[in-house]
Amino acid sequence: LSLHTHPWLADHQVDGTVLVPATALIELALHVGSHADCNQIDELVLQTPIVLTQDDTVALQVAIEPTQNGNRHITIRTRPALRERNHPKEISWTENAQGTLTTSGAHPPVLGAWPPAGATPVPTTNLYRDLANHGYHYGPAFQGRNSIWRQGNTVYAEVTLPHGDTGPDAAFRIHPALFDAALHAILLDISANTGGEIRLPFSFTGVRFHSTCGNTVRTMLTITGEHTAAAILYDPTGKAVASIDAIVLRPAPTTLVAPQHTDDSLFELTWVPEHTNGVATSPQTWAILGDRTSPLAQCLQTTVSVGNGTPPAAIYPELSALFADGPAPHLVLYPLPCQAPPDEGAIPDAVRSTLREILALLQDWLASAHLTNSRLILLAQPPPTADDATDRWELCSEAARGLIRTAQTEHPDRFLLADIDHAPDSLAALPAAITTRIGSAPGERELSLRHGVVFVPRLAPSTSRPGQASIDPDGTVLITGGTGTLGSALARHLATQYQVRHLVLVSRSGLAASGAPELQSELQQAGATVTVTACDLTNRAELAELIASFTTEHPLTGVVHTAAALEDATLTTLTPGHLDQVLEPKASTAWHLHELTRHMGLSWFVLYSSAAGLFGTPGQGNYAAANVFLDALAHYRRSRGLPACSLAWGQWQQTSALTGRLTDADHARLQRMGIVPMSTAHGLRLFDAAVAIDRPRLVTCHLDPAILRSSAHTGTLHPVLRGLVRTNGRPTSSPAPQQSLPERPTRLPKPDPIRTLEDILAQAFGEVLGVPADRVDRVRPVNMLGVNSLAVLELRNRLRLLHGWKLPMSRILGGATIRDLASDITAVYEDGAST
Ligand SMILES: NC(=O)c1ccc[n+]([C@@H]2O[C@H](COP(=O)([O-])OP(=O)(O)OC[C@H]3O[C@@H](n4cnc5c(N)ncnc54)[C@H](OP(=O)(O)O)[C@@H]3O)[C@@H](O)[C@H]2O)c1
């Protein structure tokens, strides 16, 4: 069972978590009962909700066995369904529900007049909004067209579900979505009785199915206690369809409503289904960029031209053709040039060439003045069969994702990344998914379509339970970059806290690195044997020699890869050489470490990645790509039963060779994003927690909730952080109501427009540069104020996002002062075209 096999289940969420509805378990129980001549569920007690995420597939087991009095005992269990070859170990089953099946002849009488005489109509316009405010998020497949009446403790409801949204109806006695929707009418009453606490069904007693129905049911719900009710469902002729003698609700498990996380700085990237779309943009023109013969391009052509009366979108093999005969289209779909490498050995080269090709396209796109009002939608589609080739494809496409994320940060509203499966529903849903999501503020940057359901990436506190992290003290742990700042802190930690007795620390400088001899003697005093080796890890032969040197007496048991180098450049100046300089020590070395150690039975394979890959840090497209590759490699290894954990670190307090280059403007940017530098002790605590958690990819980043909230308020919160900002005390996956942009001024501020605009500009400069606004010189050319091109990019983006002003980069860097810019803006207002 998964969201791929049953996409409509994504429309059943409780506080942002997709749960298999209890009515689906009832359907299963009734179905299995029918094979054992039992037509009644005497009792079904729900123990653990079945949670589904985008990637998980759940194996489901329903077992029945006779009881002494001739009835049947039923148990419903689930466990993660994984490919056998990948997970040789036995994974235990979780018991989700159990109960008893019996036989009964009872049949409710036919329903009389409808609506029942004396019942008062209840307004239903805001039913689903109100339910969502209480934590019950129902998407279209579960939202019935409802009419509700009330009479004393009885609630009558008529519910019609749209045909088609819920899959092949005939397969069910009564479709679980319709059955669930038939019970919605009492949820608000029950919530009101329990002070707004989320309640979920706990047990069902006396459940019988009587006859089939179409897509409309009439329900009589009787509230029998503070959190108990009885229900009879009828078809529109009044014939009974199903009945439940008693439903008991109980508070939702705390893990659902308030995730119990190990540390507030430990997160996981989740893909959440999203129904509350952004604002649909005005009609758009479409085109496809790519090879005319590509099947995907041809499918896209028909998809984007359906329904809006326009001729089929053209396929252009080259960028310049997009605007050769007139204005460029608004939206240009570009299938990513990412092929599955033929074998594992080809992966580093394939990553490199994919990134080069995409970089060249992004640069050409940005360089063209004809495309400034167009958006490029980079479309990733995995190979049609899910096998090893797909896994290899994913490594390349994930690296590309990192680069594209930086392009999105540097140039907001120019690029969207969408990935799409091969389901026809997904292709059909693509145009609307794009046009609605680019309208939110700030727009979504990424989306994923699976069986027509849209998912967006959101960071969520990790709720994984830590196990016991251990490593054989007699084995050897290799730390690449072991003489660097985080590498040496970890070496100390492993020697003292994990009693690791054999450490090999590698960097190009080896013992010549600053502090390396002192580190070595400190570790030796702690009882460890330490080898500090000078080795350029980008040289595979040298790395292979190093790996081969580990003795059988102290075999290699752990690898922690922290080595990295930076070569920052904004996207428009990034060269293939810059890409290689960063990819080689980080991504290619990680890959070679994987290849060279995969048969060694390691306990740990930890990769130091960076949150830069997740956020798309400006000026670091190469670094973002390398880090996302590491995250993907961890996933790749884990799906092959090999240990792996990639930690996407936020900023550490202790300065290193990498972070020592950060300018005040960089620190100010991190702070504005809500990223708080973490102490070494905090970072190492996170390391401990992360290696004890059974997850391949974790984000280890200290975030300031107050800053996240205020960014949500000003509309500058990164979309991936939206799930961490709570509205009504609950996390939200879609933009919070207050996340609309502050109202943009449409008129010149009075009484002194230039002065006021100067103040706003000085404030924005100060924020970007990390200095108070009154220290920003207003009459000195901006390019002499110590701004680099990255800070100017950011300033331009902020002014555009917050005020709607589009200042050209060339003007800001071309000798203009703040005063000049203020008067430029005044002129724009006077022309009546402020945005
Ligand atoms: N510090 C942070 O706030 C932070 C935040 C997020 C992620 N990270 C990640 O954490 C890791 C460690 O960062 P750090 O801050 O500790 O940086 P660092 O002090 O500069 O350490 C990097 C290490 O990598 C080594 N190295 C670079 N290229 C190499 C090569 N070709 N062969 C062998 N060794 C090489 C460097 O030594 P040589 O120059 O002598 O070779 C150095 O020892 C990095 O992967 C970084 O991306 C750090």
Side-chain angles (χ1 to χ4, degrees), residues 480-487 506-510 513 535-538 561-565 585-586 589 608-611 623 627 630 647-659:
T480 71
T483 59
T485 305
L486 303 197
V506 185
S507 64
R508 285 166 303 182
S509 327
C535 168
D536 185 344
L537 293 164
T538 59
H561 177 42
T562 82
K586 191 147 214 180
T589 299
Y608 271 34
S609 166
S610 164
Y623 184 61
N627 284 301
L630 255 51
L647 307 178
W649 292 106
Q651 198 195 356
W652 290 53
Q653 269 166 16
Q654 196 185 352
T655 309
S656 72
L658 297 185
T659 57

Side-chain angles (χ1 to χ4, degrees), residues 496-835:
T496 53
Q497 299 302 311
Y498 290 79
Q499 277 71 49
V500 172
R501 295 288 78 123
H502 303 278
L503 283 161
V504 176
L505 313 181
V506 185
S507 64
R508 285 166 303 182
S509 327
L511 266 179
S514 155
E518 294 82 353
L519 172 69
Q520 189 178 37
S521 60
E522 192 186 325
L523 293 170
Q524 280 163 348
Q525 276 164 23
T529 309
V530 185
T531 312
V532 179
T533 305
C535 168
D536 185 344
L537 293 164
T538 59
N539 182 329
R540 194 182 190 278
E542 276 188 45
L543 178 59
E545 207 177 304
L546 176 79
I547 302 282
S549 71
F550 296 110
T551 62
T552 44
E553 200 185 340
H554 301 298
L556 189 66
T557 47
V559 170
V560 184
H561 177 42
T562 82
L566 286 182
E567 198 55 59
D568 290 358
T570 53
L571 197 80
T572 50
T573 55
L574 198 67
T575 63
H578 291 139
L579 279 178
D580 292 350
Q581 277 162 291
V582 172
L583 281 174
E584 285 303 303
K586 191 147 214 180
S588 303
T589 299
W591 178 257
H592 295 144
L593 283 164
H594 154 70
E595 281 191 320
L596 294 165
T597 63
R598 62 184 311 164
H599 306 298
M600 299 177 92
L602 298 185
S603 305
W604 282 0
F605 190 92
V606 182
L607 299 161
Y608 271 34
S609 166
S610 164
L614 179 68
F615 297 125
T617 309
Q620 297 195 316
N622 46 2
Y623 184 61
N627 284 301
V628 183
F629 175 84
L630 255 51
D631 304 339
L633 172 58
H635 180 68
Y636 181 88
R637 282 179 56 93
R638 287 293 286 268
S639 65
R640 281 159 179 70
L642 296 167
C645 176
S646 182
L647 307 178
W649 292 106
Q651 198 195 356
W652 290 53
Q653 269 166 16
Q654 196 185 352
T655 309
S656 72
L658 297 185
T659 57
R661 306 174 187 195
L662 293 183
T663 61
D664 286 349
D666 295 325
H667 287 293
R669 181 184 336 105
L670 290 168
Q671 200 194 343
R672 272 199 309 280
M673 282 192 71
I675 299 178
V676 184
M678 65 183 101
S679 66
T680 304
H682 187 187
L684 293 171
R685 268 203 316 279
L686 285 173
F687 175 90
D688 295 341
V691 289
I693 283 180
D694 198 26
R695 303 295 290 172
R697 297 182 269 206
L698 289 162
V699 178
T700 33
C701 186
H702 191 181
L703 294 169
D704 182 336
I707 298 179
L708 301 188
R709 269 195 305 278
S710 95
S711 324
H713 187 67
T714 53
T716 52
L717 185 71
H718 194 298
V720 84
L721 298 174
R722 277 181 189 155
L724 299 177
V725 177
R726 298 187 150 241
T727 52
N728 294 337
R730 301 203 167 86
T732 168
S733 66
S734 39
Q738 75 267 35
Q739 277 177 313
S740 54
L741 291 176
E743 205 151 300
R744 292 170 179 184
T746 50
R747 252 177 269 136
L748 271 180
K750 297 262 169 17
D752 185 350
I754 295 272
R755 180 70 206 211
T756 314
L757 291 173
E758 269 181 27
D759 288 348
I760 296 174
L761 286 167
Q763 174 78 27
F765 260 86
E767 279 167 10
V768 166
L769 293 174
V771 298
D774 56 12
R775 288 214 354 242
V776 177
D777 194 331
R778 297 167 185 221
V779 289
R780 230 170 147 215
V782 168
N783 57 13
M784 296 178 70
L785 294 179
V787 289
N788 57 19
S789 52
L790 197 59
V792 174
L793 260 180
E794 233 197 319
L795 179 76
R796 181 200 66 175
N797 295 342
R798 270 181 86 69
L799 291 174
R800 186 166 165 181
L801 184 66
L802 293 173
H803 305 284
W805 302 331
K806 289 183 187 171
L807 293 176
M809 289 280 280
S810 53
R811 177 72 176 136
I812 307 178
L813 283 173
T817 63
I818 286 200
R819 191 147 295 166
D820 297 336
L821 296 177
S823 83
D824 287 0
I825 296 170
T826 323
V828 175
Y829 277 108
E830 280 160 0
D831 288 352
S834 66
T835 54

Side-chain angles (χ1 to χ4, degrees), residues 255-503:
T255 44
L256 281 182
V257 290
Q260 302 288 304
H261 41 275
T262 325
D263 187 295
D264 349 342
S265 305
L266 209 51
F267 301 94
E268 289 182 47
L269 185 65
T270 56
W271 286 82
V272 298
E274 217 220 19
H275 302 290
T276 38
N277 307 344
V279 186
T281 48
S282 48
Q284 307 278 343
T285 47
W286 295 83
I288 295 125
L289 181 64
D291 182 356
R292 283 206 176 97
T293 58
S294 128
L296 177 58
Q298 289 173 0
C299 286
L300 289 171
Q301 185 173 35
T302 36
T303 307
V304 295
S305 55
V306 164
N308 57 9
T310 55
I315 304 178
Y316 297 97
E318 278 167 27
L319 208 64
S320 56
L322 287 167
F323 46 82
D325 301 324
H330 299 115
L331 298 168
V332 178
L333 288 160
Y334 170 66
L336 280 183
C338 178
Q339 306 287 328
D343 53 51
E344 285 205 329
I347 284 174
D349 280 347
V351 168
R352 200 174 304 118
S353 61
T354 304
L355 288 174
R356 284 181 181 206
E357 196 168 339
I358 294 172
L359 173 64
L361 176 79
L362 297 175
Q363 289 179 334
D364 287 350
W365 184 270
L366 291 170
S368 170
H370 298 279
L371 297 169
T372 45
N373 293 320
S374 303
R375 191 182 303 240
L376 184 65
I377 293 116
L378 299 118
L379 200 64
Q381 190 178 46
T385 50
D387 56 13
D388 288 353
T390 310
D391 295 348
R392 293 195 296 273
W393 171 88
E394 200 167 297
L395 286 168
C396 295
S397 72
E398 285 295 288
R401 190 181 285 278
L403 176 68
I404 295 164
R405 284 179 179 156
T406 288
Q408 292 174 319
T409 310
E410 290 186 19
H411 302 275
D413 304 336
R414 302 295 308 278
F415 306 110
L416 179 79
L417 181 59
D419 75 70
I420 180 164
D421 60 10
H422 290 264
D425 287 357
S426 299
L427 211 51
L430 183 72
I434 292 171
T435 51
T436 48
R437 271 156 197 86
I438 57 181
S440 59
E444 293 289 351
R445 301 177 180 199
E446 293 173 56
L447 53 95
S448 169
L449 273 143
R450 295 287 178 269
H451 287 270
V453 179
V454 179
F455 292 83
V456 290
R458 296 287 185 261
L459 212 55
S462 173
T463 52
S464 305
R465 297 269 170 274
Q468 191 64 38
S470 63
I471 185 117
D472 177 3
D474 284 330
T476 301
V477 176
L478 165 68
I479 305 180
T480 71
T483 59
T485 305
L486 303 197
S488 49
L490 182 70
R492 288 187 183 92
H493 188 61
L494 295 185
T496 53
Q497 299 302 311
Y498 290 79
Q499 277 71 49
V500 172
R501 295 288 78 123
H502 303 278
L503 283 161

